[in-house]
Coordinates of all heavy atoms in Angstrom, one line a residue:
M1 N 100.0 63.3 -74.3 CA 100.2 64.2 -73.2 C 98.8 64.8 -72.9 O 98.1 65.3 -73.8 CB 101.2 65.3 -73.7 CG 101.3 66.4 -72.6 SD 102.7 67.5 -73.0 CE 101.8 69.0 -73.5
D2 N 98.5 64.8 -71.6 CA 97.2 65.4 -71.2 C 97.5 66.8 -70.7 O 98.1 67.1 -69.7 CB 96.7 64.6 -70.0 CG 95.3 65.1 -69.5 OD1 94.9 66.2 -70.0 OD2 94.7 64.4 -68.7
S3 N 97.1 67.9 -71.5 CA 97.5 69.3 -71.2 C 96.9 69.8 -69.9 O 97.4 70.7 -69.3 CB 97.1 70.2 -72.4 OG 95.7 70.2 -72.6
E4 N 95.8 69.2 -69.5 CA 95.2 69.6 -68.2 C 96.0 69.2 -67.0 O 96.0 69.8 -66.0 CB 93.8 69.1 -68.1 CG 92.8 69.7 -69.1 CD 91.4 69.3 -68.9 OE1 91.1 68.8 -67.8 OE2 90.6 69.4 -69.8
V5 N 96.8 68.1 -67.2 CA 97.7 67.6 -66.2 C 99.1 68.2 -66.3 O 99.7 68.7 -65.4 CB 97.7 66.1 -66.1 CG1 98.7 65.6 -65.1 CG2 96.3 65.6 -65.8
D6 N 99.6 68.1 -67.6 CA 101.0 68.5 -67.8 C 101.2 70.0 -68.1 O 102.3 70.4 -68.1 CB 101.5 67.7 -69.0 CG 101.5 66.2 -68.7 OD1 101.7 65.8 -67.6 OD2 101.3 65.4 -69.7
G7 N 100.2 70.8 -68.3 CA 100.3 72.2 -68.7 C 100.3 72.4 -70.2 O 100.1 71.5 -70.9
P8 N 100.4 73.7 -70.6 CA 100.3 74.0 -72.0 C 101.5 73.5 -72.7 O 102.6 73.3 -72.2 CB 100.2 75.5 -72.0 CG 100.9 75.9 -70.7 CD 100.6 74.8 -69.7
P9 N 101.4 73.3 -74.0 CA 102.5 72.9 -74.8 C 103.7 73.9 -74.8 O 103.4 75.1 -74.6 CB 102.0 72.7 -76.3 CG 100.6 73.3 -76.2 CD 100.2 73.5 -74.8
L10 N 104.9 73.5 -74.9 CA 106.0 74.4 -74.8 C 106.1 75.3 -75.9 O 106.8 76.4 -75.8 CB 107.3 73.6 -74.7 CG 107.5 72.7 -73.4 CD1 108.7 71.9 -73.4 CD2 107.4 73.6 -72.2
D11 N 105.5 75.0 -77.1 CA 105.6 75.9 -78.2 C 104.4 76.8 -78.4 O 104.1 77.3 -79.4 CB 105.8 75.1 -79.5 CG 104.7 74.2 -79.8 OD1 103.8 74.0 -78.9 OD2 104.6 73.6 -80.9
L12 N 103.6 77.0 -77.3 CA 102.4 77.8 -77.3 C 102.8 79.3 -77.5 O 103.6 79.8 -76.8 CB 101.7 77.7 -76.0 CG 100.4 78.5 -75.8 CD1 99.3 78.1 -76.8 CD2 99.9 78.4 -74.4
H13 N 102.2 79.9 -78.5 CA 102.5 81.3 -78.8 C 101.3 82.2 -78.4 O 100.2 81.9 -78.8 CB 102.8 81.6 -80.3 CG 104.1 80.8 -80.7 ND1 105.3 81.3 -80.5 CD2 104.2 79.6 -81.4 CE1 106.2 80.5 -81.0 NE2 105.6 79.4 -81.5
L14 N 101.5 83.2 -77.7 CA 100.4 84.0 -77.2 C 100.1 85.2 -78.1 O 99.1 85.9 -77.9 CB 100.7 84.5 -75.7 CG 100.9 83.4 -74.7 CD1 101.3 84.0 -73.4 CD2 99.7 82.6 -74.6
G15 N 100.9 85.5 -79.0 CA 100.7 86.6 -79.9 C 101.5 87.8 -79.6 O 102.3 87.8 -78.6
P16 N 101.4 88.9 -80.3 CA 102.2 90.1 -80.1 C 101.9 90.7 -78.7 O 100.8 90.6 -78.2 CB 101.9 91.0 -81.2 CG 100.6 90.5 -81.8 CD 100.5 89.1 -81.4
V17 N 102.9 91.4 -78.2 CA 102.8 92.1 -76.9 C 102.1 93.4 -77.2 O 102.4 94.1 -78.2 CB 104.2 92.4 -76.3 CG1 104.1 93.3 -75.1 CG2 104.9 91.1 -76.0
A18 N 101.1 93.8 -76.4 CA 100.4 95.1 -76.6 C 101.4 96.2 -76.2 O 102.2 96.1 -75.3 CB 99.2 95.1 -75.8
I19 N 101.2 97.4 -76.8 CA 102.0 98.6 -76.4 C 101.5 99.0 -75.1 O 100.3 99.1 -74.8 CB 101.8 99.7 -77.5 CG1 102.4 99.3 -78.8 CG2 102.4 101.0 -77.0 CD1 102.2 100.2 -79.9
H20 N 102.5 99.4 -74.2 CA 102.2 99.8 -72.8 C 102.9 101.2 -72.7 O 104.0 101.4 -73.2 CB 102.8 98.9 -71.8 CG 102.1 97.6 -71.8 ND1 100.8 97.4 -71.3 CD2 102.5 96.4 -72.3 CE1 100.5 96.1 -71.4 NE2 101.5 95.5 -72.0
C21 N 102.3 102.1 -71.9 CA 102.8 103.4 -71.6 C 102.4 103.7 -70.1 O 101.3 103.5 -69.7 CB 102.3 104.4 -72.5 SG 103.2 106.0 -72.4
A22 N 103.4 104.3 -69.4 CA 103.1 104.7 -68.0 C 103.6 106.1 -67.7 O 104.7 106.4 -68.2 CB 103.8 103.7 -67.0
I23 N 102.8 106.8 -67.0 CA 103.2 108.2 -66.5 C 103.8 108.0 -65.2 O 103.1 107.4 -64.3 CB 102.0 109.1 -66.5 CG1 101.4 109.4 -67.9 CG2 102.4 110.4 -65.8 CD1 100.1 110.2 -67.9
L24 N 105.0 108.5 -65.0 CA 105.7 108.4 -63.7 C 105.6 109.7 -62.9 O 105.4 109.6 -61.7 CB 107.2 108.0 -63.9 CG 107.4 106.7 -64.6 CD1 108.9 106.5 -64.8 CD2 106.8 105.5 -63.8
R25 N 105.7 110.8 -63.6 CA 105.6 112.1 -62.9 C 104.8 113.0 -63.8 O 104.9 113.0 -65.0 CB 107.0 112.7 -62.8 CG 107.8 112.0 -61.8 CD 109.1 112.8 -61.4 NE 109.7 112.3 -60.3 CZ 110.7 111.3 -60.4 NH1 111.0 110.9 -61.5 NH2 111.2 110.9 -59.3
P26 N 103.9 113.7 -63.2 CA 103.5 113.8 -61.8 C 102.8 112.6 -61.3 O 102.3 111.8 -62.2 CB 102.6 115.0 -61.7 CG 102.1 115.2 -63.1 CD 103.1 114.7 -64.0
G27 N 102.8 112.3 -60.1 CA 102.2 111.2 -59.5 C 100.6 111.3 -59.6 O 100.1 112.4 -59.8
K28 N 100.0 110.1 -59.4 CA 98.5 110.1 -59.6 C 97.8 111.0 -58.7 O 96.8 111.6 -59.1 CB 98.1 108.6 -59.3 CG 96.6 108.4 -59.5 CD 96.2 106.9 -59.3 CE 94.7 106.7 -59.5 NZ 94.4 105.3 -59.3
N29 N 98.2 111.2 -57.4 CA 97.5 112.0 -56.5 C 98.2 113.4 -56.2 O 97.8 114.0 -55.3 CB 97.3 111.3 -55.2 CG 96.4 110.0 -55.4 OD1 95.4 110.1 -56.1 ND2 96.7 108.9 -54.8
D30 N 99.1 113.7 -57.1 CA 99.8 115.0 -56.9 C 98.8 116.2 -57.2 O 98.0 116.1 -58.1 CB 101.0 115.1 -57.8 CG 102.2 114.3 -57.4 OD1 102.1 113.6 -56.4 OD2 103.2 114.2 -58.2
H31 N 98.9 117.2 -56.3 CA 98.1 118.4 -56.5 C 99.0 119.4 -57.2 O 100.0 119.9 -56.6 CB 97.6 118.9 -55.2 CG 96.6 118.0 -54.6 ND1 95.3 117.8 -55.0 CD2 96.8 117.1 -53.6 CE1 94.7 116.9 -54.3 NE2 95.6 116.4 -53.4
L32 N 98.7 119.8 -58.4 CA 99.5 120.7 -59.2 C 98.9 122.0 -59.5 O 97.7 122.0 -59.8 CB 99.9 120.0 -60.5 CG 100.6 118.6 -60.4 CD1 100.6 117.9 -61.7 CD2 101.9 118.7 -59.8
P33 N 99.6 123.1 -59.5 CA 99.0 124.4 -59.9 C 98.9 124.4 -61.5 O 99.6 123.7 -62.2 CB 100.1 125.4 -59.4 CG 101.4 124.6 -59.5 CD 101.0 123.2 -59.1
S34 N 98.1 125.3 -61.9 CA 98.0 125.5 -63.4 C 99.3 126.1 -63.9 O 100.1 126.7 -63.1 CB 96.8 126.4 -63.7 OG 97.0 127.7 -63.1
G35 N 99.6 125.9 -65.2 CA 100.8 126.4 -65.8 C 101.7 125.3 -66.2 O 101.3 124.1 -66.3
P36 N 102.9 125.6 -66.6 CA 103.9 124.6 -67.2 C 104.2 123.5 -66.1 O 104.5 123.8 -65.0 CB 105.1 125.4 -67.5 CG 104.7 126.8 -67.6 CD 103.5 127.0 -66.6
T37 N 104.2 122.3 -66.6 CA 104.5 121.2 -65.7 C 105.2 120.1 -66.6 O 104.8 119.8 -67.7 CB 103.2 120.5 -65.1 OG1 102.5 121.5 -64.4 CG2 103.5 119.3 -64.3
E38 N 106.3 119.5 -66.1 CA 106.9 118.4 -66.8 C 106.2 117.1 -66.5 O 105.9 116.8 -65.3 CB 108.4 118.3 -66.4 CG 109.1 117.2 -67.2 CD 110.5 117.1 -66.9 OE1 110.9 116.9 -65.8 OE2 111.3 117.1 -67.9
V39 N 105.9 116.4 -67.5 CA 105.3 115.1 -67.5 C 106.4 114.1 -68.0 O 107.0 114.4 -69.0 CB 104.0 115.0 -68.3 CG1 103.4 113.6 -68.2 CG2 103.1 116.1 -67.8
S40 N 106.5 112.9 -67.3 CA 107.5 111.9 -67.8 C 107.0 110.5 -67.6 O 106.2 110.3 -66.7 CB 108.9 112.2 -67.2 OG 108.8 111.9 -65.8
G41 N 107.6 109.6 -68.3 CA 107.2 108.2 -68.1 C 108.0 107.3 -69.0 O 109.1 107.6 -69.5
F42 N 107.5 106.1 -69.2 CA 108.1 105.1 -70.0 C 107.1 104.4 -70.9 O 105.9 104.4 -70.6 CB 108.7 103.9 -69.1 CG 109.9 104.4 -68.4 CD1 109.9 104.9 -67.1 CD2 111.2 104.2 -68.9 CE1 111.0 105.3 -66.4 CE2 112.3 104.6 -68.3 CZ 112.2 105.1 -67.0
A43 N 107.6 104.0 -72.1 CA 106.7 103.3 -73.1 C 107.4 102.0 -73.6 O 108.7 102.0 -73.6 CB 106.4 104.2 -74.2
F44 N 106.6 101.0 -73.9 CA 107.2 99.7 -74.3 C 106.3 99.2 -75.5 O 105.1 99.2 -75.4 CB 107.2 98.8 -73.2 CG 107.6 97.4 -73.5 CD1 108.9 97.1 -73.7 CD2 106.7 96.3 -73.6 CE1 109.3 95.8 -74.0 CE2 107.1 95.0 -73.9 CZ 108.4 94.8 -74.1
A45 N 107.0 98.8 -76.6 CA 106.2 98.2 -77.7 C 106.4 96.6 -77.7 O 105.5 95.9 -78.0 CB 106.7 98.8 -79.0
G46 N 107.6 96.2 -77.4 CA 107.9 94.7 -77.4 C 107.8 94.1 -78.8 O 107.7 94.8 -79.8
D47 N 107.9 92.8 -78.9 CA 107.7 92.0 -80.1 C 108.7 92.5 -81.2 O 108.3 92.7 -82.4 CB 106.3 92.1 -80.6 CG 105.9 90.8 -81.4 OD1 106.4 89.8 -81.1 OD2 105.0 91.0 -82.2
D48 N 109.9 92.8 -80.8 CA 111.0 93.4 -81.8 C 110.6 94.7 -82.4 O 111.0 95.0 -83.5 CB 111.3 92.4 -82.9 CG 112.4 91.4 -82.4 OD1 113.2 91.7 -81.6 OD2 112.4 90.3 -83.0
R49 N 109.7 95.5 -81.7 CA 109.3 96.8 -82.2 C 109.8 97.8 -81.2 O 110.1 97.5 -80.0 CB 107.8 96.9 -82.3 CG 107.1 95.9 -83.2 CD 105.6 96.0 -83.1 NE 105.3 95.5 -81.7 CZ 104.0 95.6 -81.2 NH1 103.1 96.1 -81.9 NH2 103.8 95.2 -80.0
T50 N 109.9 99.1 -81.6 CA 110.2 100.2 -80.7 C 109.1 101.2 -80.8 O 108.3 101.2 -81.7 CB 111.5 100.8 -81.1 OG1 111.4 101.3 -82.4 CG2 112.7 99.9 -80.9
V51 N 108.9 102.0 -79.8 CA 107.9 103.0 -79.8 C 108.4 104.2 -80.7 O 109.5 104.7 -80.5 CB 107.7 103.5 -78.3 CG1 106.7 104.7 -78.3 CG2 107.2 102.4 -77.4
A52 N 107.6 104.6 -81.6 CA 107.9 105.7 -82.5 C 107.6 107.0 -81.9 O 108.3 108.0 -82.2 CB 107.2 105.5 -83.8
R53 N 106.5 107.1 -81.1 CA 106.1 108.4 -80.6 C 105.2 108.3 -79.4 O 104.4 107.3 -79.4 CB 105.5 109.2 -81.8 CG 104.4 110.1 -81.6 CD 104.0 110.6 -82.9 NE 102.6 111.1 -82.7 CZ 101.9 111.5 -83.7 NH1 102.3 111.5 -84.9 NH2 100.7 112.0 -83.4
V54 N 105.2 109.2 -78.5 CA 104.3 109.3 -77.4 C 103.7 110.7 -77.4 O 104.5 111.7 -77.4 CB 104.9 109.0 -76.0 CG1 104.0 109.2 -74.9 CG2 105.5 107.5 -76.0
D55 N 102.4 110.9 -77.3 CA 101.8 112.2 -77.2 C 101.0 112.2 -75.9 O 100.4 111.2 -75.4 CB 100.8 112.4 -78.3 CG 101.5 112.5 -79.7 OD1 102.6 112.9 -79.8 OD2 100.8 112.1 -80.7
V56 N 101.0 113.4 -75.2 CA 100.2 113.5 -74.0 C 99.3 114.7 -74.1 O 99.5 115.6 -74.9 CB 101.2 113.7 -72.8 CG1 102.0 112.5 -72.5 CG2 102.1 115.0 -73.0
S57 N 98.2 114.7 -73.3 CA 97.2 115.7 -73.3 C 97.0 116.1 -71.8 O 96.8 115.3 -71.0 CB 95.9 115.3 -73.9 OG 94.9 116.3 -73.8
A58 N 96.9 117.5 -71.6 CA 96.6 118.0 -70.3 C 95.2 118.5 -70.2 O 94.8 119.1 -69.2 CB 97.6 119.1 -69.9
D59 N 94.4 118.4 -71.3 CA 93.1 118.9 -71.3 C 92.0 117.9 -71.8 O 91.2 118.3 -72.6 CB 93.0 120.2 -72.1 CG 93.5 120.1 -73.5 OD1 93.7 118.9 -74.0 OD2 93.7 121.1 -74.2
H60 N 92.2 116.7 -71.4 CA 91.2 115.6 -71.7 C 91.1 115.4 -73.2 O 90.1 115.0 -73.7 CB 89.8 115.9 -71.1 CG 89.8 116.1 -69.7 ND1 90.0 115.1 -68.8 CD2 89.8 117.3 -68.9 CE1 90.0 115.6 -67.5 NE2 89.9 116.9 -67.6
G61 N 92.2 115.6 -74.0 CA 92.3 115.2 -75.4 C 91.9 116.3 -76.4 O 91.9 116.1 -77.6
S62 N 91.7 117.5 -75.9 CA 91.4 118.6 -76.8 C 92.7 119.0 -77.6 O 92.6 119.3 -78.8 CB 90.9 119.9 -76.1 OG 89.6 119.6 -75.5
T63 N 93.8 119.0 -76.9 CA 95.1 119.3 -77.6 C 96.1 118.2 -77.1 O 96.0 117.7 -76.1 CB 95.6 120.7 -77.3 OG1 95.8 120.8 -75.8 CG2 94.7 121.8 -77.7
W64 N 97.1 118.0 -78.0 CA 98.1 117.0 -77.7 C 99.5 117.6 -77.8 O 99.8 118.5 -78.7 CB 98.0 115.8 -78.6 CG 96.7 115.1 -78.3 CD1 95.5 115.3 -78.9 CD2 96.5 114.0 -77.4 NE1 94.5 114.5 -78.4 CE2 95.2 113.6 -77.5 CE3 97.4 113.3 -76.6 CZ2 94.6 112.6 -76.7 CZ3 96.8 112.3 -75.8 CH2 95.5 112.0 -75.9
T65 N 100.5 117.1 -77.0 CA 101.9 117.5 -77.1 C 102.7 116.3 -77.3 O 102.6 115.3 -76.6 CB 102.3 118.2 -75.7 OG1 101.5 119.3 -75.5 CG2 103.8 118.6 -75.7
S66 N 103.6 116.4 -78.3 CA 104.5 115.3 -78.6 C 105.6 115.3 -77.6 O 106.1 116.4 -77.2 CB 105.1 115.4 -80.0 OG 104.1 115.2 -81.0
T67 N 106.1 114.2 -77.1 CA 107.1 114.1 -76.1 C 108.5 113.9 -76.7 O 108.6 113.6 -77.9 CB 106.9 112.9 -75.1 OG1 107.0 111.7 -75.9 CG2 105.5 112.9 -74.5
D68 N 109.5 114.2 -75.9 CA 110.9 113.8 -76.3 C 111.0 112.3 -75.9 O 110.8 112.0 -74.7 CB 111.9 114.7 -75.6 CG 111.8 116.1 -76.0 OD1 111.6 116.4 -77.2 OD2 112.0 117.0 -75.1
L69 N 111.4 111.5 -76.8 CA 111.4 110.0 -76.6 C 112.9 109.6 -76.7 O 113.5 109.8 -77.8 CB 110.5 109.3 -77.6 CG 110.4 107.8 -77.6 CD1 109.8 107.4 -76.3 CD2 109.6 107.4 -78.7
D70 N 113.4 109.0 -75.7 CA 114.8 108.4 -75.8 C 114.8 107.2 -76.7 O 113.8 106.4 -76.7 CB 115.2 108.0 -74.4 CG 115.5 109.2 -73.4 OD1 115.5 110.3 -73.9 OD2 115.6 108.9 -72.2
P71 N 115.9 107.0 -77.4 CA 116.0 105.8 -78.2 C 116.1 104.5 -77.3 O 116.6 104.6 -76.2 CB 117.3 106.0 -79.0 CG 118.1 107.0 -78.2 CD 117.1 107.8 -77.5
P72 N 115.6 103.4 -77.8 CA 115.7 102.2 -76.9 C 117.1 101.6 -77.0 O 117.8 101.8 -78.0 CB 114.7 101.3 -77.6 CG 114.7 101.7 -79.1 CD 114.9 103.2 -79.0
E73 N 117.4 100.9 -75.9 CA 118.7 100.2 -75.9 C 118.6 99.0 -76.8 O 119.5 98.5 -77.5 CB 119.1 99.7 -74.5 CG 119.4 100.9 -73.6 CD 119.8 100.5 -72.2 OE1 120.3 99.3 -72.0 OE2 119.7 101.3 -71.3
N74 N 117.4 98.4 -76.9 CA 117.1 97.3 -77.8 C 115.6 97.2 -77.9 O 114.9 97.8 -77.1 CB 117.7 95.9 -77.3 CG 117.2 95.4 -76.1 OD1 116.0 95.1 -76.0 ND2 118.0 95.3 -75.0
P75 N 115.0 96.4 -78.8 CA 113.5 96.4 -78.9 C 112.8 95.8 -77.7 O 111.6 96.0 -77.7 CB 113.3 95.5 -80.2 CG 114.6 95.5 -80.9 CD 115.7 95.7 -79.9
W76 N 113.5 95.3 -76.8 CA 112.8 94.7 -75.6 C 112.9 95.5 -74.4 O 112.7 95.0 -73.3 CB 113.2 93.2 -75.4 CG 112.8 92.4 -76.5 CD1 113.6 92.0 -77.6 CD2 111.5 91.8 -76.7 NE1 112.8 91.2 -78.5 CE2 111.6 91.1 -77.9 CE3 110.3 91.8 -76.0 CZ2 110.5 90.4 -78.4 CZ3 109.2 91.1 -76.5 CH2 109.3 90.4 -77.7
T77 N 113.3 96.8 -74.5 CA 113.4 97.6 -73.3 C 112.4 98.8 -73.3 O 112.0 99.2 -74.4 CB 114.9 98.2 -73.2 OG1 115.1 99.0 -74.4 CG2 115.9 97.2 -73.1
W78 N 112.1 99.3 -72.2 CA 111.2 100.4 -72.0 C 112.0 101.7 -72.5 O 113.2 101.8 -72.3 CB 110.8 100.6 -70.6 CG 109.9 99.5 -70.1 CD1 110.2 98.3 -69.7 CD2 108.5 99.6 -70.0 NE1 109.1 97.6 -69.4 CE2 108.0 98.4 -69.5 CE3 107.6 100.7 -70.2 CZ2 106.6 98.2 -69.3 CZ3 106.2 100.5 -70.0 CH2 105.8 99.2 -69.5
Q79 N 111.2 102.6 -73.1 CA 111.8 103.9 -73.5 C 111.3 105.0 -72.7 O 110.1 105.2 -72.5 CB 111.5 104.2 -75.0 CG 112.1 103.2 -76.0 CD 111.6 103.4 -77.4 OE1 110.9 102.5 -77.9 NE2 111.9 104.5 -78.0
H80 N 112.2 105.8 -72.2 CA 111.8 107.0 -71.3 C 111.3 108.1 -72.2 O 111.9 108.3 -73.3 CB 113.0 107.4 -70.5 CG 112.7 108.5 -69.5 ND1 113.1 109.8 -69.8 CD2 112.0 108.5 -68.4 CE1 112.7 110.6 -68.8 NE2 112.0 109.8 -67.9
W81 N 110.3 108.8 -71.8 CA 109.8 110.0 -72.5 C 109.5 111.1 -71.5 O 109.4 110.9 -70.3 CB 108.6 109.7 -73.3 CG 107.4 109.1 -72.5 CD1 107.2 107.8 -72.4 CD2 106.5 109.8 -71.8 NE1 106.0 107.6 -71.6 CE2 105.6 108.9 -71.2 CE3 106.2 111.2 -71.6 CZ2 104.5 109.3 -70.4 CZ3 105.1 111.6 -70.8 CH2 104.3 110.6 -70.2
R82 N 109.5 112.4 -72.0 CA 109.2 113.6 -71.2 C 108.7 114.7 -72.1 O 109.0 114.7 -73.3 CB 110.5 114.0 -70.5 CG 111.5 114.7 -71.3 CD 112.9 114.7 -70.8 NE 113.5 113.4 -70.7 CZ 113.9 112.6 -71.7 NH1 113.6 113.0 -73.0 NH2 114.5 111.5 -71.6
A83 N 107.9 115.5 -71.5 CA 107.3 116.7 -72.2 C 106.9 117.8 -71.2 O 106.6 117.5 -70.0 CB 106.1 116.3 -73.0
M84 N 106.9 119.0 -71.6 CA 106.3 120.1 -70.9 C 104.9 120.4 -71.4 O 104.7 120.5 -72.6 CB 107.2 121.4 -71.0 CG 108.5 121.3 -70.3 SD 108.4 121.1 -68.5 CE 107.8 122.7 -68.1
V85 N 104.0 120.4 -70.5 CA 102.6 120.7 -70.8 C 102.1 121.9 -70.0 O 102.7 122.1 -68.9 CB 101.6 119.5 -70.6 CG1 102.0 118.3 -71.5 CG2 101.6 119.0 -69.2
T86 N 101.1 122.6 -70.4 CA 100.5 123.6 -69.7 C 99.2 123.2 -69.1 O 98.3 122.9 -69.8 CB 100.3 124.9 -70.5 OG1 101.6 125.3 -71.1 CG2 99.8 126.0 -69.7
L87 N 99.1 123.1 -67.8 CA 97.9 122.7 -67.1 C 96.9 123.8 -67.1 O 97.3 124.9 -66.7 CB 98.2 122.2 -65.7 CG 99.2 121.0 -65.6 CD1 99.4 120.6 -64.1 CD2 98.6 119.8 -66.3
P88 N 95.7 123.6 -67.4 CA 94.7 124.6 -67.4 C 94.3 125.0 -66.0 O 94.5 124.2 -65.0 CB 93.5 124.0 -68.1 CG 93.7 122.5 -67.9 CD 95.1 122.3 -67.9
P89 N 93.7 126.2 -65.8 CA 93.3 126.6 -64.5 C 92.2 125.6 -64.0 O 91.4 125.1 -64.8 CB 92.7 128.0 -64.6 CG 93.2 128.4 -65.9 CD 93.5 127.2 -66.8
R90 N 92.1 125.4 -62.7 CA 91.0 124.6 -62.1 C 89.7 125.3 -62.1 O 89.5 126.4 -61.9 CB 91.4 124.1 -60.8 CG 92.6 123.2 -60.8 CD 92.9 122.7 -59.4 NE 94.0 121.8 -59.5 CZ 94.3 121.0 -58.5 NH1 93.6 121.0 -57.4 NH2 95.3 120.2 -58.6

């Protein structure tokens, strides 16, 4: 078999899936006042793993807040998370 013509072998393994996390709210260009704000999103571990924890920071990593993380339906689904953070004054 010529792999350049026929494509990669069917048993090609690419390795484990990297952990992914996305912030859904607030939106990227939202203008928010200082004070308490809910942040929410989804996280995915894949490869028969689940996400154990998601932490968020509203001050460029000086302090961190643990989120409430929903249990996964199965290891291959995204998990919803949410947290209240206090945004610093601008």
Side-chain angles (χ1 to χ4, degrees):
M1 175 168 109
D2 184 351
S3 63
E4 290 184 23
V5 175
D6 298 328
L10 296 177
D11 63 349
L12 177 67
H13 298 280
L14 299 177
V17 174
I19 294 175
H20 294 284
C21 188
I23 296 174
L24 300 178
R25 288 192 172 91
K28 182 177 180 178
N29 296 317
D30 288 356
H31 296 282
L32 304 168
S34 59
T37 301
E38 184 176 55
V39 180
S40 65
F42 286 92
F44 175 74
D47 208 32
D48 274 334
R49 301 172 295 172
T50 60
V51 176
R53 146 182 159 187
V54 174
D55 297 329
V56 295
S57 177
D59 57 10
H60 304 286
S62 294
T63 60
W64 293 88
T65 301
S66 292
T67 67
D68 294 322
L69 181 65
D70 291 348
E73 291 182 24
N74 67 63
W76 293 98
T77 59
W78 289 80
Q79 292 172 249
H80 184 253
W81 57 264
R82 75 205 62 67
M84 288 298 291
V85 298
T86 301
L87 299 179
R90 291 182 180 195

